[in-house]
Structure formats: C-alpha cells, structure tokens
C-alpha cells in the first residue's frame, strides 16, 4: 500500500510476528511484515513512520543468528524491538546478551521504572507474557532500563533516540497492557494517524484496479469461498463487465456449495459467472484412486485444465484475478523459508503461475478478518463472509478410500445436517471449522426391526485461529446427540456416527 503512514515489522521468525501486524492494523494503522534481511537501502527509501523488530527463535550471539546492519539503528526512525528484537538492539549497541540463569516462560510481574512515553497510561505493576531463555546481562551503551521483572531487564530506551526494547510480548492478549504499549509506540512515538480503514482500502484499491487493468479483461476462478468471492465483488466494483468469473463444479463440493450465494451475487451485483458442470469428469478421473496425494494431484490438474479451457474462450483477457491474502504473502517471504509444515500441499486447487495471464490480487495486503470486513462493506451477507474454510480438493479428502457418486451424496447429506444443527444451536460462529468425514468402514446396526449394514460418519469440529494448531471443539452432548440421530435416521447408508476428539498436532484437521 502506498502510504507514508505505516509501520514496517522486520520478521526474525517469531510465531507471533503476524500477531504484531494484526494488533497494529487493529489500531487502524497500516503495517507490513518484511523479512529481517530486507536491504537497508529499501528501508531507507520507503516512506514509513517506524519499525518493529519481531521476536525470533534464535540467540543473537549464535553463529547463524539473524542479524541486521547496525546502521538501521542510526536512521532517524522510531524502532521497537520485541523479545529477540530487544536483544538484537542490545547486542548491536554494545550490550551483552546471554542465557539467563532463570528463564521466563508464561506470566511475569512487570514493574515500570519510567512512565515517560512507551509506558504512559499503564499501571506501575502488571502481568505480562514472557517467552525467553536469553536476557540482557549488560546494558547497551546509551540505553536505560525503563521496566523490570524479578528476573530480567524487561524494557529499555535509548537516551536520545526513539529506540525501545521490550523483553516480553506486547502483541499477545495475555499481556493486558500490550495494546496500550503498542498505541503509545504507534501514535505517541511514531506519530502515526489512524487512517487504515476498510472504506479507504476499497476506494484506493478500486482506483488501482481500474488503472492497472485498463481496457483488458480479467478472469477469475470463483470457488464459492470467502476470499475468491470478496475478490470478485471488489474487482467487479472496479471494472464491471470486464470481469468474468468461472465457477467449476467439481461435484466434490458441499450440498450448499456456495452456488446459491453466487447466484445471489449475479443478481445483486451483476457479476458475470460461468458455471461449468464438471462432475462426471472429476468422478471418472478419480475412479479407483484411494491415495490422498494422488487424489489431490488429479483434482488440481483437472481443475487447471478445465479452467484453462474456459478462460481461453473469453476474449481480450490479460489478467487473472486471485484471492491471495496477506498470510499467504507473508508465508511466501518468511525467513523460515517456504513452510516445512503440513500446509505445503494446500495450494492444490489453486492455479499455477505459468498461465498466460498476469496476476491481479487486490486482497494481498489484507488479513482474513479484513477480507471479511471488506466483503461486508461491499454488501455481501454476514453469514457468507463468516463461513468456515473449505479445502480446494473438497469432499475428495473427506471420503476416505475410493470416491463414488453414492458416497459423495451420503457425505453431502450428513455434512449438511451437521452444519444446519450448528446454526440451530447457535454454535457455527463459535467453531473455526466443522465438517463430516465418511469412512469406508461398514458396521452392523438395527433400525426398527431391521438389521442394517452401513457406513460410518465422523463428525469433526475444531477451534483454532491460525489452522496450524487446533483443539477439538467441546461441543455439547445435546448437539452431538441430535446430529447423530438425524444422520442415522435421515441418511440411508450411514448407520454409525463418531466424534473425532483429536487435536492438531498430533492429528491434522482434515483426515487426508
Ligand atoms: P490440515 O488438515 O493440514 O488443514 O490440518 C489445515 C487447514 O487447511 C485446509 N486444507 C486445505 N486447503 N487445499 C486447501 O485449499 C488442500 O489440499 C487442503 N488440505 C487441508 C483444511 O481444511 C484446514 O482449514
């Protein structure tokens, strides 16, 4: 975003880096996360109001530590180092950082020594969240201590420059004074204005899209999910009929596939959407396939093939619209490299980079909740923008073993019952993702006087904010009972329902 009124966060690999960005954006100040090794020249030439150095897993004195050019500290810019960031400032300024005799993990009592600026309007004593093994042993030159705990120097300030360090994590909600500290840094010290508003974003990005697209056409793969839908409506607001959306019905979507909502968008916004019925092609391609990775590959490739076929039919297309969002962007420039975690397979269902179009990604600066707010501001229903994520390969990875049209129908029916009941119990918005999995396991049951031999459905519901870790949801027994009875009595072919109580890790959210 081209604004001077922004904060740059240099990422040293902390699990909390994105959280810092979220907190700053919550203060209505725009911020971006850059890798720690961003060239100094880029920092010098980019207008900004201040820099935050994030935490990180390493020790500043380790051989392979992530270091920065100490000239950064000579720039006339406010800087706040958090945890590793503070240790780095100390290390580069003549202080000594070493392993602490008493490490601090969890809550510690913070005592403030100087309420002057960073700690303005916070109580003298409060609980803060610590997570560090190293600490400042010898204070860096020209710095003073402005807060402490029983075991560490917890905050420092340069005597003449606007350079600050916090040993604890101000960005986590456990640190109750955290928001006030970030406010003090951002508004008092960096002199930012609170001007990051969704309405502003929409106005600016509409203008940018118009200029960028010119007289060419844009094509977009609409999945029925939140990101691609908001992206489509935003693009449409900017360029109207120059946008064509392609909705590929793989036959592996939920019963409520989103098509119903997309039809509403056609009416409400005048969005032009081509619906391609490709159920048979997908089922045929998946016949006899049981291996999850093979399923993903087949679906991914066929999706691209079909999308390409359709996109080629549209004239004058130069641009491919995509609903990429900021966490994907951060992930792709992460200092940790492309994430080595289980998430790497998730781009299946996306489009390859070598399509003959240029990318236009108007949401690439937004976090998920900002995408939702944008959607609502554009007039999309609340219920739609708050729906749970759905994986690219769809129900194919929720039908364990071979996929048949009969199994898809069974799963769709069971899944819909679960989702409906979550809404009935007013719990849909309380859980992060909920769905049903169909197992190829058949067991004996009894219905009335008749013996049955049917499939097993697994109910899965998780609570998470980042989807990297998740807890199984503690759903009320009444809900589980209702869902189980309804599935067994209404979905002929399923006669047993189980509830998955595995968290992630060690499990994953999906079963395949
Ligand atoms: P796991 O199962 O890895 O899932 O714990 C974490 C999140 O990612 C979604 N997911 C996918 N999304 N393509 C996607 O677009 C995929 O192949 C895929 N696999 C899992 C999953 O639904 C959850 O939200």
């Amino acid at each position: 975003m081209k604004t001077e009124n922004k904060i740059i966060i240099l990422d040293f690999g902390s699990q909390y880096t994105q959280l810092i960005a979220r907190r700053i954006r919550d203060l209505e100040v725009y911020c971006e996360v850059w890798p720690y090794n961003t060239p100094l020249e880029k920092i010098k030439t980019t207008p900004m109001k201040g820099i935050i150095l994030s935490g990180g897993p390493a020790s500043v004195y380790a051989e392979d530590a992530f270091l920065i050019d100490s000239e950064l500290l000579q720039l006339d810019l406010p800087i706040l180092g958090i945890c590793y960031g503070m240790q780095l400032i100390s290390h580069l300024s003549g202080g000594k950082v070493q392993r602490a005799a008493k490490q601090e993990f969890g809550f510690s009592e913070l005592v403030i020594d100087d309420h002057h600026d960073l700690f303005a309007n916070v109580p003298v004593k409060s609980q803060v969240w610590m997570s560090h093994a190293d600490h400042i042993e010898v204070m860096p030159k020209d710095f003073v201590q402005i807060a402490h705990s029983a075991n560490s120097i917890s905050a420092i300030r340069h005597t003449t420059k606007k350079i600050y360090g916090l040993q604890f994590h101000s960005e986590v909600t456990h640190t109750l004074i955290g928001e006030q500290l970030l406010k003090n840094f951002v508004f008092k010290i960096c002199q930012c204005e609170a001007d990051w508003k969704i309405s502003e974003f929409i106005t600016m990005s509409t203008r940018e899209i118009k200029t960028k697209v010119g007289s060419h056409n844009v094509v977009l793969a609409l999945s029925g999910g939140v990101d691609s839908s908001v992206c489509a409506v935003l693009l449409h607001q900017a360029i109207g009929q120059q946008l064509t959306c392609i909705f590929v019905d793989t036959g592996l979507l939920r019963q409520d596939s989103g098509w119903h909502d997309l039809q509403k968008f056609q009416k409400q916004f005048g969005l032009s959407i081509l619906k391609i019925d490709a159920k048979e092609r997908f089922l045929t391609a998946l016949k006899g396939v049981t291996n999850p990775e093979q399923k993903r590959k087949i679906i991914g490739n066929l999706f691209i093939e079909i999308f390409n076929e359709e996109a080629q039919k549209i004239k004058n297309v130069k641009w491919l619209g995509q609903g990429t969002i900021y966490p994907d962007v951060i992930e792709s420039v992460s200092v940790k490299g492309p994430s080595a975690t289980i998430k790497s397979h998730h781009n299946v269902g996306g489009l390859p980079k070598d399509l003959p179009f240029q990318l236009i990604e108007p949401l690439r600066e937004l976090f998920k909740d900002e995408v939702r707010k944008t959607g609502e501001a554009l007039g999309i229903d609340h219920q739609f923008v708050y729906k749970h994520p759905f994986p690219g390969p769809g129900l194919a990875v929720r039908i364990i073993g071979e996929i048949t049209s009969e199994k898809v129908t069974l799963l769709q029916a069971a899944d819909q019952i679960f989702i409906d009941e979550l809404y009935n119990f007013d719990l849909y918005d309380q859980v992060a993702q909920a769905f049903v999995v169909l197992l190829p396991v058949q067991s004996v049951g009894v219905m009335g006087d008749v013996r049955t031999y049917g499939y097993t459905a697994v109910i899965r519901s998780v609570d998470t904010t980042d989807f990297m870790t998740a807890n199984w949801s503690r759903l009320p027994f009444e809900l589980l009972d209702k869902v189980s009875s309804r599935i067994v009595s209404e979905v002929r072919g399923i006669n047993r329902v189980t509830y998955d109580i595995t968290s992630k890790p060690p499990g994953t959210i999906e079963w395949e």
Side-chain angles (χ1 to χ4, degrees):
M1 179 72 57
K2 287 192 199 84
T3 167
E4 290 184 13
N5 193 46
K6 66 168 168 257
I7 299 286
I8 296 299
I9 299 162
L10 292 185
D11 176 28
F12 293 88
S14 164
Q15 55 174 327
Y16 298 132
T17 303
Q18 282 199 36
L19 209 50
I20 307 175
R22 288 293 319 112
R23 298 279 172 257
I24 307 280
R25 296 250 187 124
D26 284 344
L27 300 177
E28 299 186 335
V29 171
Y30 184 69
C31 68
E32 286 179 6
V33 177
W34 291 5
Y36 77 95
N37 52 3
T38 301
L40 192 61
E41 207 41 42
K42 178 169 175 189
I43 296 175
K44 280 185 184 170
T45 52
T46 307
M48 63 180 81
K49 289 286 177 75
I51 293 185
I52 294 181
L53 310 179
S54 83
S59 287
V60 286
Y61 49 79
E63 246 177 48
D64 53 355
F66 295 155
L67 299 177
I68 46 167
D69 189 332
S70 60
E71 203 190 321
L72 184 82
L73 304 180
Q74 308 307 324
L75 304 180
D76 191 20
L77 264 179
I79 297 179
L80 172 66
I82 297 180
C83 199
Y84 179 91
M86 166 169 119
Q87 294 165 5
L88 186 60
I89 291 171
S90 306
H91 182 71
L92 296 174
S93 310
K96 187 168 179 204
V97 175
Q98 66 179 41
R99 179 74 21 146
K102 281 204 173 145
Q103 306 174 357
E104 291 175 297
F105 291 99
F107 286 108
S108 281
E109 186 177 65
L110 181 81
V111 181
I112 297 178
D113 304 309
D114 180 345
H115 274 91
H116 180 61
D117 45 9
L118 190 60
F119 288 111
N121 301 319
V122 296
V124 178
K125 289 185 179 175
S126 60
Q127 296 286 314
V128 295
W129 185 257
M130 299 270 195
S131 174
H132 67 113
D134 291 343
H135 75 167
I136 298 180
E137 184 68 22
V138 178
M139 276 290 278
K141 198 167 158 299
D142 297 327
F143 279 81
V144 289
Q145 170 182 310
I146 53 175
H148 66 276
S149 72
N151 299 308
S152 67
I153 296 171
S154 305
I156 58 172
R157 181 182 60 219
H158 193 276
T159 48
T160 54
K161 298 191 179 108
K162 292 180 175 180
I163 304 179
Y164 303 79
L166 297 174
Q167 182 55 78
F168 56 91
H169 289 273
S170 48
E171 66 278 20
V172 304
T173 45
H174 301 305
T175 299
L176 295 179
I177 58 167
E179 186 187 349
Q180 184 62 49
L181 295 190
L182 290 177
K183 268 187 187 161
N184 289 345
F185 179 68
V186 165
F187 297 121
K188 273 186 194 303
I189 297 168
C190 298
Q191 307 270 304
C192 286
E193 279 166 41
D195 64 355
W196 170 243
K197 306 225 181 328
I198 290 300
S199 54
E200 272 298 297
F201 165 78
I202 294 176
T203 312
M204 276 166 75
S205 89
T206 307
R207 206 179 305 136
E208 278 171 21
I209 294 166
K210 267 190 193 142
T211 316
K212 194 167 180 179
V213 169
S215 59
H216 293 96
N217 286 332
V218 181
V219 68
L220 175 137
L222 195 55
S223 68
V226 177
D227 302 342
S228 67
S229 303
V230 173
C231 181
V233 175
L234 181 60
L235 282 167
H236 181 265
Q237 166 151 322
I239 55 165
Q241 293 310 312
Q242 283 168 269
L243 170 72
T244 305
C245 304
I246 298 176
F247 175 75
V248 178
D249 185 354
T250 59
L252 301 164
L253 302 171
R254 289 190 137 136
Q255 204 170 69
D256 178 7
S257 64
W259 175 240
H260 176 72
D261 293 289
L262 298 183
Q263 280 175 305
K264 274 208 294 201
F265 296 165
Q266 281 183 315
K267 274 210 194 100
Q268 186 182 350
F269 304 105
L271 216 59
S272 146
I273 310 174
L274 298 176
K275 182 176 189 248
I276 313 301
D277 183 352
K279 288 187 195 114
E280 288 308 321
R281 277 175 82 172
F282 278 90
L283 271 183
T284 310
L286 288 165
K287 202 168 165 43
V289 179
T290 55
N291 178 295
E293 288 317 304
Q294 218 182 329
K295 284 181 185 173
R296 280 194 162 81
K297 266 202 196 96
I298 292 171
I299 294 168
N301 291 340
L302 187 53
F303 181 88
I304 291 159
E305 194 182 309
I306 296 173
F307 178 81
N308 235 339
E309 283 166 17
E310 297 305 320
Q312 301 300 333
K313 295 180 192 162
I314 306 165
K315 298 223 162 58
N316 193 27
V317 176
K318 178 174 174 192
W319 301 97
L320 174 69
Q322 272 199 330
T324 314
I325 67 171
Y326 200 41
D328 308 330
V329 176
I330 298 180
E331 176 98 347
S332 68
V333 298
S334 164
V335 293
K336 291 169 275 185
S339 175
T341 61
I342 331 155
K343 269 199 139 185
S344 53
H345 57 254
H346 293 181
N347 47 6
V348 175
L351 296 168
K353 296 270 173 279
D354 57 358
L355 287 177
F357 309 117
Q358 289 182 42
L359 282 183
I360 181 157
E361 301 172 304
L363 308 179
R364 60 181 282 124
E365 285 158 349
L366 301 189
F367 283 103
K368 188 83 181 187
D369 58 321
E370 293 171 323
V371 172
R372 295 193 158 118
K373 284 184 197 153
T374 303
E376 279 196 287
L378 289 167
I380 304 177
D381 282 352
H382 176 90
Q383 187 167 328
F384 182 88
V385 296
Y386 281 89
K387 66 182 185 175
H388 296 167
F390 184 70
L395 300 183
V397 289
R398 292 179 180 170
I399 293 172
I400 313 304
E402 189 186 358
I403 297 150
T404 61
S405 133
E406 179 214 359
K407 286 184 184 168
V408 173
T409 310
L410 289 182
L411 179 54
Q412 282 175 331
D415 184 76
Q416 192 60 43
I417 290 174
F418 183 30
I419 299 300
D420 285 347
E421 289 303 333
L422 276 170
Y423 277 118
N424 290 342
F425 278 72
D426 222 3
L427 285 171
Y428 183 86
D429 286 335
Q430 309 291 317
V431 302
Q433 196 171 10
F435 53 91
V436 176
V437 176
L438 189 73
L439 301 188
V441 175
Q442 284 179 290
S443 66
V444 174
V446 54
M447 280 272 264
D449 292 332
V450 186
R451 204 178 120 99
T452 59
Y453 192 58
Y455 286 110
T456 308
V458 181
I459 302 175
R460 179 87 167 128
S461 175
V462 292
D463 302 336
T464 174
T465 46
D466 59 9
F467 295 89
M468 304 293 279
T469 61
N471 288 323
W472 58 276
S473 315
R474 271 52 175 177
L475 294 179
F477 283 175
E478 296 74 30
L479 166 68
L480 294 174
D481 188 35
K482 184 82 188 281
V483 173
S484 160
S485 339
R486 278 197 58 195
I487 291 179
V488 172
S489 60
E490 294 173 33
V491 187
R492 187 163 296 194
I494 296 180
N495 69 348
R496 199 168 287 270
V497 177
T498 68
Y499 187 44
D500 182 355
I501 53 167
T502 319
S503 288
K504 172 184 178 178
T508 51
I509 295 175
E510 302 289 346
W511 271 50
E512 287 197 332

